[in-house]
Amino acid sequence: MHIGVLCVAGRPSDWAADASENYIKRLPRAWQFSMERIAPAKRDSAGQRKDDEWQRLQRHLKANDIVILLDERGKSLASRQIATRINDWQREGCNLKFIVGGPDGVASDCRQRATQQWSVSPMTLPHELARLVLVEQLYRAHSIIEGHPYHRD
């Protein structure tokens, strides 16, 4: 299984990079985790920026990837629900790609390509914080799957 996170963002702040790396180190090697940063587009209109970013995001996707778009309008899942879904996909040998869009959001084609849309929070969060929450939840899902005491109900 490969789990990848694609982020449309500039260079992360030191605090965000350090915090994310703390959780990334804890993820199982079997997940072959990767995080790719896509620089935000520099175009005149938001629509052009989103289309340009989508063109670059697509280069990192394979036809059979399960694509999960993080969006405040997406479905809110509890940590155990996330763990169950990841565990099911892991047993099926699926590859997951999470997309964190740019400051303007994502192109409609990106939304259409997404298998699912998940919400990290109903609040709009800075992208660095959304990525950190995602990586922490991936680690939490792993700990739930493995019965590790990190997660407590």
Side-chain angles (χ1 to χ4, degrees):
M1 171 181 227
H2 176 264
I3 296 179
V5 177
L6 304 172
C7 308
V8 178
R11 185 181 177 283
S13 302
D14 290 342
W15 71 266
D18 290 346
S20 293
E21 190 59 35
N22 179 40
Y23 289 107
I24 291 169
K25 285 185 216 176
R26 300 179 191 188
L27 296 175
R29 292 188 192 275
W31 284 6
Q32 301 173 30
F33 182 83
S34 67
M35 187 176 298
E36 301 288 333
R37 186 178 60 81
I38 311 298
K42 296 178 179 164
R43 299 287 187 136
D44 293 334
S45 74
Q48 289 174 329
R49 286 190 294 272
K50 291 189 285 189
D51 288 342
D52 182 58
E53 290 162 358
W54 173 235
Q55 292 301 316
R56 290 184 285 134
L57 283 166
Q58 285 184 92
R59 296 178 194 147
H60 298 272
L61 301 176
K62 295 179 182 163
N64 62 344
D65 285 340
I66 292 174
V67 177
I68 301 158
L69 175 63
L70 296 187
D71 186 283
E72 73 246 16
R73 295 166 295 204
K75 183 173 183 168
S76 294
L77 299 171
S79 296
R80 286 204 174 272
Q81 291 173 301
I82 293 170
T84 298
R85 289 190 185 191
I86 289 176
N87 193 38
D88 290 346
W89 287 324
Q90 185 174 359
R91 282 190 313 231
E92 294 169 12
C94 298
N95 292 318
L96 310 179
K97 291 288 172 107
F98 290 89
I99 294 178
V100 180
D104 297 307
V106 295
S108 60
D109 288 346
C110 181
R111 286 187 188 286
Q112 290 174 4
R113 172 60 178 89
T115 310
Q116 297 185 11
Q117 294 182 39
W118 292 1
S119 173
V120 172
S121 168
M123 298 179 287
T124 301
L125 299 176
H127 286 70
E128 291 178 317
L129 189 52
R131 288 191 310 264
L132 174 58
V133 170
L134 172 62
V135 174
E136 188 279 338
Q137 285 298 299
L138 291 173
Y139 173 68
R140 184 175 296 275
H142 167 66
S143 72
I144 291 169
I145 292 165
E146 296 299 319
H148 187 276
Y150 178 79
H151 178 77
R152 296 183 182 122
D153 288 315

